[in-house]
Amino acid sequence: MTRLEHAFEENVAGPVPWDRLFHAGIGRLTGGLSPTALQLAFFDWTAHLALNPGRQLALVEKGMRKAMRLAAYSGHCIAGDAGGRCIEPLANDDRFEDPAWQQWPFSLLHQGFLLQQQWWHVATTGVPGVDPHHEEVVNFTVRQMLDIASPSNFLPTNPEVLHRTAEDGGWNLLRGASNWLEDAQQTLAGGDEHPTGAFRVGEDLATTPGRVIHRNALMELIQYEPATGAVHPEPVLIVPAWIMKYYILDLRPTRSLVEYLVNQGHTVFMVSWKNPDARDREMGMADYRRLGVEAALRAVNAVCPGQRVHGVGYCLGGTLLTLAAAAMGRDRDERLASLSLLATQTDFTEPGELELFIDESQVSFLEDVMWARGYLGRDEMAGAFHLLRSQDLIWSRHIRHYLMGEREAMFDLMAWNADATRLPYRMHSDYLRDLFLHNDLVEGRYDIDGRPVSVGDIDVPIFSLATRRDHIAPWRSVYKIVRLARIDVTFALSAGGHNAGVVSEPGHPRREYQLAHFSPDDPTCPAERFEREVVAEPGSWWPAWQQWLADLSGELVDPPAMGAREAGYAPFADAPGEYVLMR
């Protein structure tokens, strides 16, 4: 069915679809961001600022003080006796760290920019009456607009680029122009045919030996071959997020969590999600639970009969596994032995900077964008994540690739990150509304099979991992599982971000983690107290987690067979299967 045929069919049954098609057209220009949501935020801010003349006068006074401060600094710089900066950059801002920025006139340029940035931060925050969400949106938007005008982004005002240009005789600019043309061609062509570069899935990435034993409309199930003569009897089932390819957990030898578990004597199964297209538009969260978690559990139970399963979920896959585990606990289904949640949120009241893109206006607009195409594309998802870290992912890349004329070498995690996926319309709408926007799981309104579930229904031990620099699942939000669960929880906080903090193999430099065990009878331990009082352990969190799994497992036994032919789960393809290769 074409998009217009779908539109006419919906018109007969319900709302007029033309508005949705119009919104979808706008969404292609805005990267899926709602202009109405932005207008509402700025109207709220300007209207309340207009009704606070005292605040306006304070801002004028502050602006004058900063101008005088910059003028005095300029005089010192011209006289050659500048005694340091008049304003320091923020702790995470390293754009002006090079000593060349302390020389006239670049010192004045970057100090003026930082003073302006500070003034706008004061102007957009703390205005009485402004909705907190609108305040965050306005502050974030203004910050993005200012970053565009940063003197570090332009050839004439960046001393580092000028020095490189003089040193290379301008060849860096020619290389940069070539890089820009190459990137533009790939964008117009809809992306690189091989986004992972020289890395190949199944050859360089996702190489742990295994077999696909089940396939349905949404996933393939991989069973990995044993690497030890005896194994723990309880198998491990990993449910990754479908916003990413599963092989971040099977990256490459020595960097593979799957390989590590297999080498420690665990029988490991992995869900490999299909990369959906418009034909999968009506696949919702219930379908992902039924065709994903439940179908995988049935297969694992057939291969390892009579054994309980260690469930492991990563990111959105962990949220889905939490829903399934809660329903199983509610129904007295005892097939799970434990639940491990890696960088997984269950309470979405404080979801971090992603909240900037989530309100009723934005979700409704995004639903129209997805409705027209049948899915959320890779470009919309990447755009939102890039904006959250624009200095690292947009402007530093702009300087490095197009002004310096450099290209960084592809590495494994970078190759995986380029291999993006799509999200079905119905599923993403369910997720954004029920969990992210309305927080139905924590509020007791999330129904599975007609009855509500809660995190408190989970009746197996929980291991929860958060990462310190996670901007997708902030660690304090992940930490809330300690309060929500009514069962023993082991919580670990690892160094690194959402991806690198999880892919943190033994021997990785500069890694550490904090680990604590909580029982339902323990006094409440706020996140700040955990961070302050729990001693950090050097190294990877993998061995501590593996020991936790082993302690919950039985005595070693012979490895199970690959698949279960008599139950309809005969191996039929080598890992990594077909779904992970879908573009």
Side-chain angles (χ1 to χ4, degrees):
M1 180 182 294
T2 67
R3 183 177 63 185
L4 285 177
E5 288 172 338
H6 187 87
F8 281 117
E9 183 176 284
E10 182 164 329
N11 186 32
V12 173
V16 176
W18 305 115
D19 290 343
R20 307 192 82 173
L21 292 173
F22 177 66
H23 295 163
I26 296 175
R28 291 184 179 180
L29 301 176
T30 65
L33 299 179
S34 168
T36 303
L38 194 62
Q39 292 168 11
L40 288 172
F42 271 88
F43 177 80
D44 188 7
W45 171 67
T46 54
H48 283 91
L49 184 60
L51 293 176
N52 285 273
R55 182 62 183 271
Q56 296 174 36
L57 288 174
L59 288 173
V60 171
E61 181 185 0
K62 192 172 187 66
M64 293 177 63
R65 288 202 309 269
K66 289 186 179 300
M68 294 174 62
R69 189 171 160 190
L70 184 63
Y73 177 76
S74 176
H76 288 297
C77 289
I78 294 174
D81 61 348
R85 295 166 167 166
C86 65
I87 181 174
E88 292 293 328
L90 297 174
N92 59 349
D93 187 354
D94 59 358
R95 289 174 291 184
F96 310 113
E97 287 301 307
D98 192 280
W101 285 103
Q102 309 311 314
Q103 305 299 317
W104 171 270
F106 307 108
S107 55
L108 185 64
L109 286 172
H110 93 269
Q111 289 289 279
F113 170 79
L114 292 176
L115 287 168
Q116 183 183 41
Q117 186 181 56
Q118 187 185 67
W119 185 90
W120 274 105
H121 174 76
V122 174
T124 56
T125 57
V127 178
V130 177
D131 180 87
H133 174 68
H134 288 163
E135 178 183 280
E136 292 174 356
V137 170
V138 170
N139 181 262
F140 175 81
T141 304
V142 169
R143 193 165 69 243
Q144 301 304 310
M145 295 172 67
L146 287 172
D147 281 346
I148 295 174
S150 170
S152 60
N153 295 336
F154 304 97
L155 170 64
T157 55
N158 187 322
E160 298 174 72
V161 177
L162 288 173
H163 177 74
R164 174 65 63 83
T165 303
E167 192 176 62
D168 288 1
W171 284 102
N172 59 305
L173 300 180
L174 289 176
R175 291 194 304 270
S178 176
N179 291 341
W180 184 88
L181 287 172
E182 181 182 345
D183 291 344
Q185 289 173 351
Q186 290 183 4
T187 300
L188 292 173
D192 191 353
E193 182 182 355
H194 299 292
T196 55
F199 291 90
R200 293 292 184 268
V201 179
E203 299 177 15
D204 309 292
L205 309 168
T207 60
T208 303
R211 300 277 285 167
V212 179
I213 65 169
H214 177 64
R215 178 187 293 154
N216 60 32
L218 273 181
M219 68 90 173
E220 292 178 330
L221 184 66
I222 300 170
Q223 179 183 354
Y224 291 95
E225 296 177 0
T228 56
V231 299
H232 297 284
E234 295 84 1
V236 176
L237 170 62
I238 302 178
V239 182
W242 48 93
I243 198 173
M244 57 180 72
K245 298 291 182 72
Y246 84 85
Y247 63 86
I248 186 175
L249 301 175
D250 184 25
L251 205 53
R252 60 178 174 83
T254 74
R255 296 256 291 158
S256 166
L257 184 61
V258 169
E259 178 193 58
Y260 178 78
L261 289 173
V262 170
N263 288 339
Q264 299 300 314
H266 293 279
T267 300
V268 180
F269 296 81
M270 174 71 75
V271 170
S272 173
W273 297 106
K274 177 186 178 183
N275 194 4
D277 55 30
R279 294 168 295 183
D280 304 302
R281 59 180 303 123
E282 294 302 327
M283 291 289 188
M285 284 290 288
D287 297 299
Y288 273 78
R289 191 187 70 257
R290 178 175 55 86
L291 296 175
V293 177
E294 294 178 7
L297 270 175
R298 285 195 299 271
V300 173
N301 291 151
V303 176
C304 304
Q307 299 296 339
R308 301 174 77 187
V309 179
H310 294 299
V312 182
Y314 181 20
C315 186
L316 187 54
T319 303
L320 180 69
L321 190 58
T322 299
L323 297 175
M328 294 171 70
R330 178 200 64 188
D331 298 339
R332 302 294 189 267
D333 184 333
E334 299 182 349
R335 286 180 294 166
L336 286 181
S338 70
L339 183 65
S340 296
L341 304 174
L342 313 181
T344 295
Q345 294 184 93
T346 51
D347 184 332
F348 291 84
T349 52
E350 296 178 293
E353 289 189 312
L354 279 177
E355 188 179 15
L356 291 165
F357 305 107
I358 304 297
D359 55 29
E360 186 63 44
S361 174
Q362 178 59 53
V363 170
S364 296
F365 184 81
L366 191 58
E367 285 176 333
D368 291 347
V369 173
M370 295 188 295
W371 173 86
R373 298 172 64 180
Y375 56 83
L376 182 69
R378 296 171 291 185
D379 46 353
E380 290 94 353
M381 285 187 292
F385 290 130
H386 285 176
L387 282 175
L388 290 177
R389 298 174 59 198
S390 60
Q391 285 188 29
D392 295 332
L393 299 179
I394 297 179
W395 300 117
S396 65
R397 183 177 184 272
H398 161 82
I399 296 168
R400 189 171 61 253
H401 289 193
Y402 308 141
L403 297 182
M404 293 293 195
E406 300 173 353
R407 283 287 203 199
E408 66 269 25
M410 183 77 78
F411 58 94
D412 51 13
L413 201 57
M414 181 180 174
W416 164 83
N417 190 59
D419 196 6
T421 60
R422 297 175 289 270
L423 301 178
Y425 155 68
R426 180 63 59 196
M427 182 285 305
H428 203 48
S429 177
D430 290 347
Y431 168 66
L432 291 178
R433 285 199 172 276
D434 297 343
L435 295 172
F436 217 115
L437 187 60
H438 299 150
N439 207 22
D440 282 349
L441 177 61
V442 170
E443 298 294 334
R445 295 187 298 265
Y446 197 94
D447 285 359
I448 293 180
D449 298 330
R451 292 183 294 152
V453 296
S454 72
V455 176
D457 291 326
I458 299 173
D459 60 355
V460 294
I462 297 173
F463 184 100
S464 177
L465 171 79
T467 59
R468 189 175 296 279
R469 297 196 305 273
D470 198 330
H471 64 286
I472 297 174
W475 83 263
R476 286 177 174 82
S477 180
V478 174
Y479 183 80
K480 292 182 179 182
I481 189 73
V482 172
R483 174 180 55 84
L484 296 172
R486 300 173 187 169
I487 197 73
D488 289 347
V489 176
T490 299
F491 184 83
L493 178 61
S494 169
H498 187 74
N499 300 320
V502 173
V503 184
S504 182
E505 71 281 0
H508 194 293
R510 299 179 300 280
R511 284 293 186 247
E512 63 178 20
Y513 66 95
Q514 295 167 271
L515 184 73
H517 305 276
F518 301 94
S519 70
D521 297 330
D522 290 339
T524 300
C525 179
E528 293 74 19
R529 180 181 170 191
F530 171 92
E531 183 180 28
R532 182 177 63 252
E533 297 183 2
V534 176
V535 177
E537 300 288 341
S540 168
W541 62 271
W542 288 11
W545 174 56
Q546 192 281 137
Q547 187 60 55
W548 183 84
L549 289 174
D551 291 343
L552 293 172
S553 301
E555 297 295 326
L556 299 180
V557 298
D558 291 335
M562 294 296 292
R565 295 180 181 275
E566 68 285 352
Y569 298 106
F572 59 88
D574 290 331
E578 294 183 7
Y579 279 179
V580 74
L581 302 177
M582 295 178 66
R583 294 281 295 133

